[in-house]
């Protein structure tokens, strides 16, 4: 099983601040996918195939990485970005999610 | 529009079998895969399994011995059955259309395992 480790686990950012969330895989994966989840709601697709934004995702978000290290970046934090973000790999079974990064507004 | 909706019992007794239904609309099960993901209260997401457009399945090895996913194309329904439930199986269970992946999700159904 490929274990995905996200860092940080929790963080707070001020409006306008740049935010980077990292997802490290225990073995190399081809792509990384990201989901956003707000409290009490279903996860939403956010970034797929490492760097492609899902429909409706603001372009202040971006994704990058390769091999065992991937990241989600917000160029300028906004209040609506406060949520928990999860990475997902589907390069090998079982598909695995990272433990999540809770992003709060400072 | 694309919709998925999970249904099933909110409470299951330990050692019993969980049966959930995912009713989809706006797309065909022969054109899109459907997966199941669960989330224990206050915790992260866990992929459980997927049923492919051709009807074959793939399961999380940690659950494989207890889990079965099937479908009824005519009713646009996907079924999840998991036996030998324990308290650690208490979670919200989601079904999701598997494109890109998981581009549409159901609202989830909370299942509590308790006597």
């Amino acid at each position: 099983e490929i274990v995905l480790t996200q860092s940080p686990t929790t963080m707070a950012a001020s409006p306008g601040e740049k935010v980077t969330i990292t997802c490290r895989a225990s073995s190399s994966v081809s792509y990384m996918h990201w989901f956003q989840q707000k409290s009490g709601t279903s996860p939403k697709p956010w970034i797929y195939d490492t760097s492609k934004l899902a429909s409706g995702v603001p372009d202040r978000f971006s994704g990058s990485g390769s091999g065992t290290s991937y990241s989600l970046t917000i160029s300028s934090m906004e209040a609506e970005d406060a949520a928990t973000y999860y990475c997902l790999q589907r390069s090998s079974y079982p598909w695995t999610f990272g433990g999540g990064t809770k992003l709060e507004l400072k | 529009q694309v919709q998925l909706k999970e249904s099933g019992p909110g409470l299951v007794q330990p050692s019993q079998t969980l049966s959930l239904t995912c009713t989809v609309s706006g797309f065909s099960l022969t054109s899109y895969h459907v997966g199941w993901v669960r989330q224990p209260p206050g915790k992260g997401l866990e992929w459980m399994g997927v049923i492919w457009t051709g009807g074959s399945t793939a399961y999380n090895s940690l659950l494989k011995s207890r889990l079965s996913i099937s479908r009824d194309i005519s009713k646009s329904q996907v079924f999840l059955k998991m036996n030998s439930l324990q308290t650690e199986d208490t979670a919200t269970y989601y079904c999701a259309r598997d494109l890109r992946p998981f581009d549409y999700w159901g609202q989830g159904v909370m299942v509590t395992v308790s006597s």
Side-chain angles (χ1 to χ4, degrees), chain A residues 8 22 43 71 87 98:
Chain A
T22 298
S71 62
C87 54

Side-chain angles (χ1 to χ4, degrees), chain B residues 14 20 30 34 43 47 63:
Chain B
L20 297 177
T30 58
V34 171
K43 296 189 177 181
W47 173 72
L63 304 171

Side-chain angles (χ1 to χ4, degrees), chain A residues 1 33 35 37 40-45 48-49 86 88 90 93-99, chain B residues 37 39 43-47 50 52 58 60-62 94 98 100-103 105-107:
Chain A
E1 173 177 325
H33 314 283
F35 295 83
Q37 186 179 35
T41 68
S42 305
K44 293 180 179 178
Y48 65 98
D49 293 352
Y86 294 93
L88 165 71
R90 303 204 312 169
Y93 291 113
W95 300 347
T96 48
F97 288 91
Chain B
V37 174
Q39 184 172 37
K43 296 189 177 181
L45 303 169
E46 180 183 32
W47 173 72
V50 62
W52 305 112
N60 187 326
S61 53
L62 297 176
Y94 297 99
D98 187 23
R100 294 196 191 130
F102 299 140
D103 60 339
W105 294 63
Q107 63 190 20

Side-chain angles (χ1 to χ4, degrees), chain B residues 58-85:
Chain B
Y59 300 117
N60 187 326
S61 53
L62 297 176
L63 304 171
K64 189 173 183 178
S65 63
R66 302 193 290 139
L67 183 62
S68 173
I69 297 173
S70 60
R71 67 183 183 180
D72 184 328
I73 295 172
S74 66
K75 294 183 178 180
S76 293
Q77 292 180 324
V78 177
F79 309 106
L80 178 147
K81 289 189 189 305
M82 189 163 68
N83 58 32
S84 304
L85 254 62

